Amino acid sequence: MKLLALLVLLKICCINAIPSDGPQFPPPFRPWRSQPAGHLKSFGHQRPPDGPVRPYIDRFLHPVDFWEYHVSNKLPLVYRNAVNRSPAIKLWDDEYLLKNYGNLDVLVERKVENRSYSPRRMVLKGFLKQYRKEDIYVVTVLPDAMRHEVQIVPSVLCGTFKTYLQETNLWIGSGGTSSIVHFDADHNIHCLMHGRKDFMMIHHRYYKYLYFKQNSPGSGSGYSNINVNKVDMKKYPLLKRVPWTYATLRAGDCIYIPGGYIHQVRSYKRSISVTTLFSPTRTFNSSGCENLNMSYTPMSEAPIHWTYKEGDQTIDLGYNNLVIVRSDIQRIFRELKIKKVSRKLFIQEMGKEMSDNWQVPLEEVYDKYFDPSGKGFFTEKDIEQLPIENIKGIARSMETPAGPLSAAEKIDWEKILQEKLALEKQEEEFRKKKRADRQDDDDDDDDDDEMEEEFRKGTQRDNGDNDDDEFGMDDDDRDEPQDEDQRKQHQHQEL
């Protein structure tokens, strides 16, 4: 009896352990004898995890400690209940977003990540009317108008971290998203506002076992072509050597992903998250950290370099850190041992040192951003005093934009929705009519069969009554001689 009660208790515990907002994670490990473990299953089945990412519950690390224990060592962490005071957690349902931010432009990608796919640009209103049915999700620069409703993690609000805050991104999806195995150049604090996300984290020292497209994590970002939903362990046998840790985020939780750290992310139902990117540095300057206020700070008060406001021509996603752009230009002064740069020198030498991927002519870059006053040259001191908008213009000119330049067309989505509903209704009526016509055809065929049967029977009756044989006698006439013979034979038998 005690054993039975124990088994029932274990069963109840196991049932309760299965999350209601998605599958069990980490996935169970079941070694096979006939083929490699995890073969043709999702990424993570090939080997059990080493354990969870280190969590900090209901508290933040001071920026100095954050640098010393995690950032400098490129060690991930999870903040539990980190940003649960963000108004976005309670407010950001589809109706609220549609009403308050529907006219903002966003960049949209496919759910199954493909690094060769170029993002589309559309208004948020249009996305919200489509994303639950189509294979799309938002990954875009968090619009300025929405930043006040998101709390920023205070661990990055002073010193070098604050100086190198790169950008903040907004992610919205209906679920069923699965990233590729990849790493990014920048440090990333990923905070969840709605839903659930699962993270698989892999140290960059195991890069060589993951069949990456790039040469090394130092090259910036890179990714693997492994199909994370159906891993071919016979094709990628080295995966079994790769240890990994895991984390599950829910609303209010954040994870720190170091630059260059390999990871894979999944979501299952509607989710919204906000990420803060900051550039890696070799050292940390703690100036301003002595009296840091670690209480609630909205993201709108953080000095983010790349932002987007309604009406901007570009959505500046993925550009270089502006501090790094400025310092790289100053470094070229020292390398070339020059004090001033003329228009000719910039076009022939300095511009080529800066980039080999200029999106606009060097003459235009020089006139518009380096020497807008037209004095004929610029110095290292001029670069130090160059306005931030000029540095942004230089950075944009050096790289391909992440999305379309022109703002998304303002579309009457209500009209489109009504037209779509009318078209669906028309198609349904057509299908009903087609089914009715098919039924009528079947009924007509039955009637035709009945008529044909009646006609055949009637024809047989007519033939029986009216047709004469070859001697001009009908059936009754032919029967008469036979009846007479039988009558005579009967009389003979009686005699």
Side-chain angles (χ1 to χ4, degrees):
M1 189 67 182
K2 291 183 178 178
L3 179 61
L4 180 61
L6 180 61
L7 291 173
V8 171
L9 182 61
L10 287 173
K11 184 175 181 181
I12 294 173
C13 292
C14 291
I15 291 173
N16 291 336
I18 299 175
S20 60
D21 53 357
Q24 181 180 352
F25 186 81
F29 176 71
R30 296 187 178 93
W32 298 352
R33 294 181 179 179
S34 58
Q35 52 189 342
H39 182 58
L40 301 183
K41 289 184 172 293
S42 62
F43 191 64
H45 283 87
Q46 75 279 0
R47 176 184 174 128
D50 285 2
V53 176
R54 180 175 178 178
Y56 292 85
I57 302 174
D58 296 325
R59 70 186 183 98
F60 298 108
L61 290 179
H62 187 274
V64 175
D65 296 328
F66 183 45
W67 165 264
E68 182 176 352
Y69 297 116
H70 287 274
V71 179
S72 63
N73 298 314
K74 292 194 171 183
L75 183 66
L77 67 78
V78 169
Y79 282 138
R80 296 291 180 196
N81 307 317
V83 293
N84 53 4
R85 294 170 62 190
S86 298
I89 293 178
K90 294 182 178 180
L91 296 177
W92 283 7
D93 57 23
D94 285 1
E95 183 179 356
Y96 180 86
L97 294 175
L98 190 66
K99 179 180 178 181
N100 293 276
Y101 307 119
N103 291 326
L104 298 174
D105 283 4
V106 294
L107 297 178
V108 176
E109 295 189 8
R110 293 175 180 170
K111 281 184 179 179
V112 179
E113 188 175 3
N114 183 345
R115 292 292 172 105
S116 63
Y117 173 75
S118 298
R120 286 192 290 161
R121 182 168 174 171
M122 62 191 306
V123 289
L124 183 58
K125 183 189 299 184
F127 169 81
L128 292 172
K129 291 181 180 295
Q130 302 178 53
Y131 81 113
R132 293 183 184 271
K133 297 181 180 179
E134 293 191 20
D135 184 31
I136 55 175
Y137 72 100
V138 160
V139 52
T140 191
V141 174
L142 178 66
D144 287 355
M146 303 174 72
R147 289 171 58 196
H148 69 284
E149 294 179 336
V150 181
Q151 179 183 0
I152 190 168
V153 172
S155 300
V156 296
L157 287 181
C158 71
T160 304
F161 295 144
K162 186 175 181 180
T163 303
Y164 285 86
L165 288 176
Q166 170 81 344
E167 65 184 53
T168 54
N169 299 148
L170 171 67
W171 303 69
I172 306 175
S174 62
T177 59
S178 182
S179 80
I180 56 180
V181 178
H182 68 285
F183 62 85
D184 301 303
D186 295 314
H187 297 309
N188 179 0
I189 297 180
H190 191 120
C191 298
L192 208 62
M193 301 294 113
H194 286 267
R196 164 190 164 186
K197 284 189 177 183
D198 292 336
F199 291 76
M200 292 182 61
M201 308 293 292
I202 301 169
H203 197 281
H204 50 264
R205 71 167 63 99
Y206 299 102
Y207 169 89
K208 60 184 178 181
Y209 300 131
L210 289 162
Y211 306 89
F212 268 82
K213 287 296 183 182
Q214 299 289 346
N215 294 325
S216 69
S219 62
S221 62
Y223 64 95
S224 172
N225 276 336
I226 294 171
N227 182 353
V228 295
N229 296 316
K230 195 174 182 180
V231 180
D232 189 339
M233 290 300 297
K234 295 179 180 179
K235 185 177 180 181
Y236 306 112
L238 297 180
L239 291 180
K240 64 183 180 182
R241 301 186 184 182
V242 181
W244 57 282
T245 55
Y246 66 91
T248 293
L249 299 192
R250 291 182 172 84
D253 295 339
C254 301
I255 185 171
Y256 161 62
I257 306 173
Y261 210 90
I262 300 167
H263 56 285
Q264 196 264 327
V265 190
R266 302 168 191 168
S267 68
Y268 310 100
K269 297 181 180 179
R270 179 182 183 270
S271 66
I272 301 179
S273 54
V274 174
T275 58
T276 303
L277 306 182
F278 56 105
S279 301
T281 57
R282 295 182 179 180
T283 59
F284 179 71
N285 183 342
S286 62
S287 60
C289 295
E290 298 82 7
N291 301 314
L292 177 66
N293 183 4
M294 298 285 285
S295 62
Y296 178 88
T297 303
M299 199 163 280
S300 56
E301 295 183 11
I304 308 296
H305 290 167
W306 294 102
T307 60
Y308 163 75
K309 65 179 182 298
E310 185 177 2
D312 283 351
Q313 184 187 20
T314 60
I315 298 179
D316 298 318
L317 182 70
Y319 284 114
N320 279 333
N321 184 283
L322 300 179
V323 175
I324 295 176
V325 173
R326 192 190 298 269
S327 63
D328 283 348
I329 299 172
Q330 293 172 321
R331 174 183 52 80
I332 295 175
F333 271 92
R334 295 188 291 272
E335 289 180 354
L336 297 180
K337 298 179 180 179
I338 52 179
K339 294 184 177 180
K340 62 180 182 180
V341 177
S342 65
R343 192 172 190 267
K344 182 178 179 181
L345 182 60
F346 175 78
I347 294 169
Q348 293 181 350
E349 193 165 353
M350 190 176 196
K352 295 177 181 179
E353 286 287 334
M354 290 176 59
S355 174
D356 56 0
N357 190 36
W358 290 99
Q359 303 299 303
V360 295
L362 289 176
E363 294 84 356
E364 182 179 336
V365 174
Y366 177 89
D367 295 338
K368 191 172 183 179
Y369 303 118
F370 285 94
D371 187 20
S373 62
K375 66 180 180 179
F377 65 91
F378 62 89
T379 64
E380 186 175 354
K381 185 177 180 180
D382 292 331
I383 297 299
E384 182 65 34
Q385 298 174 352
L386 210 59
I388 195 70
E389 288 303 318
N390 288 45
I391 299 294
K392 283 186 176 182
I394 294 169
R396 292 189 189 106
S397 303
M398 293 169 63
E399 299 182 61
T400 304
L405 289 177
S406 58
E409 181 183 356
K410 301 304 179 185
I411 301 174
D412 187 349
W413 290 104
E414 294 295 338
K415 181 179 179 181
I416 289 179
L417 182 61
Q418 293 299 325
E419 291 176 351
K420 185 176 181 180
L421 292 174
L423 181 61
E424 290 177 353
K425 184 177 180 180
Q426 184 179 356
E427 291 176 349
E428 181 62 26
E429 291 176 353
F430 176 76
R431 285 193 292 269
K432 287 181 180 179
K433 185 176 183 302
K434 194 172 183 179
R435 286 195 296 267
D437 292 342
R438 191 181 300 114
Q439 183 64 38
D440 291 342
D441 291 341
D442 293 341
D443 294 342
D444 291 342
D445 290 342
D446 293 340
D447 293 342
D448 291 343
D449 292 342
E450 293 176 1
M451 292 176 63
E452 184 177 350
E453 181 65 20
E454 290 293 331
F455 178 76
R456 186 178 60 79
K457 290 180 179 179
T459 303
Q460 289 178 348
R461 287 196 298 270
D462 292 343
N463 289 339
D465 294 339
N466 301 322
D467 290 350
D468 294 339
D469 62 9
E470 57 182 342
F471 297 103
M473 297 185 298
D474 60 17
D475 291 340
D476 293 338
D477 294 335
R478 283 197 302 271
D479 290 342
E480 285 183 359
Q482 296 178 3
D483 293 342
E484 183 65 22
D485 292 342
Q486 289 176 359
R487 186 175 61 79
K488 290 181 179 180
Q489 183 177 4
H490 180 67
Q491 288 177 352
H492 178 72
Q493 289 175 351
E494 288 180 348
L495 290 175

